[in-house]
Amino acid sequence: MTTSETLYSSNFKIGAYPFYKEQRAQQPVFPVGSENGYTSWIVTKYDHVKELLKSPSFMKDQSNLYPSSDRGNEAEKVNIFGNMMLDVDPPDHTRLRKLVQPSFNPKTIKQLEPRIREISDGLIEDMKKKEGSVNLVDDYAFPLPIIVISELLGVPAEDRDKFRKWSNTILAASSDSETEFVEDVEAFTTYLTDLFEKRREQPEDDLISQLLQTEEDGEQLSTNELYSMVVLLIIAGHETTVNLIANTMFALFEHPEQLKRVTQDHSLIPSAIEEGLRYYSPVDFSTARWSEADIDFHGNRIKRGDLVLASISSANRDEEKFENADQFDITRRRNAHVAFGFGIHFCLGAPLARLEGKIALEKLFDAFPDMDLNRTEPSPEWRQVFLLRGLDALPVRLSD
């Protein structure tokens, strides 16, 4: 049995794709450990992943399956995770998604384009002052989406950097970081409490004010749902886009002939982004699902209450779905990747992430057509965050 320690090991990200390939061939649905009589499973093949992500037999809300005494108390420690939209099933999921959907539909997102371009231009100008070498994560891929989602929500500019630390701690939470996790969650909660109070007293034209008004009108949004929704939008609203931009640029730097093509022909940028999403998927694994009943799933007996995860990265490299799946090809025509998920939990922010990615690459290629990896710096390394695939840093030389 492959153990969970294998997946959490410090070097797993480096060898993940060969590992996934072997699992797809030998044991595409495999167990990674058991606890309290329940088994955890990983699903790796494209078709199996889509089936898992859309099946009502695999539930997101474990409280519908486990007696409270059998469940961990992590969710009860704080009130910002208890009603996360990612972790509930219909009808609650339908209701929560409906509340924020208008702010993320393609027509609404399109209206943000001028501001996204303005933010990108400002970051580009700042990079031009840094004597030719930058960290593309810190100087561009991170600040662009965090500014956009912060402005959409109504978070003051001076507070944005706090979210990076809080987000990193929450996403990397583990037993050996329990103290830091609790402290950062408390800080996050206190910050949101203060911000909500300010918006109650003086509403503005932002999403937090809209959600607060919905709550105060008694229209289905509880206090815990409000906290969970805003935390989800802050974290998911920037983390995946940071990785989309940085991972795609990293793949282009690894394939200089394709970098040259897309730099010279911006019509290739949308397909380059889609290939970046497939090749180095920003989200490595789906969030957890639990089997509603004992079920036979592609040769495996999955019991009621077993935890099941979809390997998004593996599905997007499935050779049965993608021709030359391990090759990075910005001209790939059939690219039905699942980087944003599938089914009712398909990423709400996908239109925003794609628009930010498109503008980010356009602006970079216009400003720095000769940019390349700064090969005098250490090679980029993947962050040790289980659910995500993102780079710690991306050192870039902006010109020859």
Side-chain angles (χ1 to χ4, degrees):
M1 177 186 293
T2 302
T3 65
S4 58
E5 285 77 13
T6 301
L7 302 178
Y8 280 101
S9 65
S10 60
N11 63 354
F12 174 71
K13 299 287 184 184
I14 299 172
Y17 290 109
F19 172 82
Y20 295 144
K21 189 170 187 176
E22 182 177 356
Q23 292 300 136
R24 289 194 301 270
Q26 297 184 5
Q27 194 178 12
V29 180
F30 63 94
V32 291
S34 297
E35 186 175 358
N36 298 325
Y38 298 110
T39 301
S40 297
W41 302 83
I42 303 290
V43 179
T44 61
K45 291 180 70 69
Y46 181 92
D47 288 339
H48 298 176
V49 163
K50 289 187 71 174
E51 180 181 349
L52 168 65
L53 296 181
K54 73 178 181 181
S55 174
S57 297
F58 296 97
M59 306 179 69
K60 298 303 295 287
D61 187 353
Q62 66 181 119
S63 68
N64 292 329
L65 295 167
Y66 299 156
S68 59
S69 60
D70 287 346
R71 291 184 288 132
N73 62 0
E74 191 64 56
E76 286 75 24
K77 290 182 179 178
V78 294
N79 61 0
I80 66 174
F81 304 118
N83 300 89
M84 198 77 75
M85 187 168 60
L86 277 177
D87 298 328
V88 296
D89 302 295
D92 285 334
H93 174 268
T94 308
R95 172 176 57 83
L96 292 172
R97 192 173 179 109
K98 185 178 180 181
L99 289 170
V100 291
Q101 182 69 58
S103 297
F104 290 91
N105 66 48
K107 183 178 180 180
T108 303
I109 294 305
K110 182 67 175 175
Q111 296 173 359
L112 299 175
E113 182 169 352
R115 177 56 182 149
I116 297 172
R117 291 189 177 278
E118 183 180 7
I119 295 167
S120 298
D121 286 337
L123 295 171
I124 292 287
E125 289 305 309
D126 289 341
M127 286 194 290
K128 287 179 178 178
K129 301 172 185 176
K130 295 197 172 185
E131 300 182 354
S133 182
V134 299
N135 175 354
L136 204 61
V137 173
D138 287 348
D139 293 324
Y140 194 64
F142 168 73
L144 175 58
I146 196 65
I147 293 172
V148 172
I149 195 64
S150 295
E151 291 186 353
L152 186 63
L153 286 165
V155 173
E158 62 269 19
D159 296 332
R160 292 166 190 156
D161 283 342
K162 298 176 183 178
F163 295 134
R164 188 175 198 183
K165 180 179 187 301
W166 294 337
S167 176
N168 285 341
T169 301
I170 290 167
L171 289 169
S174 61
S175 58
D176 60 356
S177 62
E178 182 71 15
T179 299
E180 184 179 10
F181 176 81
V182 171
E183 290 176 350
D184 280 359
V185 166
E186 289 177 350
F188 208 163
T189 305
T190 299
Y191 177 85
L192 290 179
T193 301
D194 292 342
L195 182 59
F196 294 162
E197 187 60 33
K198 292 176 183 176
R199 291 295 181 270
R200 285 190 180 97
E201 294 177 357
Q202 190 172 353
E204 297 185 7
D205 184 19
D206 56 49
L207 185 51
I208 285 179
S209 296
Q210 293 171 26
L211 293 174
L212 281 165
Q213 188 63 45
T214 299
E215 179 202 9
E216 290 184 343
D217 286 347
E219 193 182 296
Q220 302 176 310
L221 192 66
S222 71
T223 299
N224 280 351
E225 286 172 344
L226 175 65
Y227 278 92
S228 295
M229 180 72 76
V230 173
V231 169
L232 174 63
L233 292 175
I234 290 172
I235 295 178
H238 83 273
E239 284 282 356
T240 53
T241 308
V242 174
N243 295 347
L244 182 163
I245 296 169
N247 293 3
T248 300
M249 288 305 305
F250 183 42
L252 286 167
F253 290 138
E254 291 181 313
H255 299 82
E257 73 290 349
Q258 297 194 57
L259 174 62
K260 183 177 181 179
R261 288 189 64 181
V262 73
T263 300
Q264 296 175 345
D265 182 1
H266 287 192
S267 70
L268 291 171
I269 289 176
S271 61
I273 289 170
E274 297 306 312
E275 183 66 346
L277 286 164
R278 185 197 71 85
Y279 188 76
Y280 284 144
S281 302
V283 177
D284 238 342
F285 292 94
S286 69
T287 50
R289 286 163 170 79
W290 286 266
S291 181
E292 183 180 23
D294 291 357
I295 185 174
D296 290 319
F297 189 77
H298 299 286
N300 298 273
R301 187 63 172 173
I302 296 179
K303 296 185 301 182
R304 172 180 168 83
D306 280 359
L307 182 151
V308 189
L309 294 174
S311 174
I312 302 298
S313 289
S314 177
N316 284 339
R317 293 285 191 100
D318 190 338
E319 48 283 306
E320 293 183 7
K321 177 64 179 180
F322 301 98
E323 185 177 359
N324 300 318
D326 286 327
Q327 293 183 17
F328 180 75
D329 180 6
I330 63 172
T331 65
R332 188 180 296 274
R333 293 185 178 181
R334 298 179 181 178
N335 197 353
H337 62 74
V338 288
F340 289 119
F342 187 72
I344 65 171
H345 289 279
F346 181 84
C347 178
L348 182 71
L352 177 58
R354 284 184 162 117
L355 179 61
E356 289 176 309
K358 176 177 177 292
I359 292 172
L361 267 61
E362 285 177 355
K363 294 293 186 179
L364 277 177
F365 298 150
D366 279 341
F368 311 112
D370 299 318
M371 65 182 167
D372 194 5
L373 277 179
N374 186 345
R375 303 181 191 276
T376 65
E377 297 287 334
S379 298
E381 295 184 356
W382 299 109
R383 294 167 60 197
Q384 297 307 312
V385 177
F386 175 69
L387 288 177
L388 304 180
R389 176 171 288 272
L391 294 165
D392 278 324
L394 186 58
V396 171
R397 176 183 47 75
L398 297 175
S399 61
D400 289 332

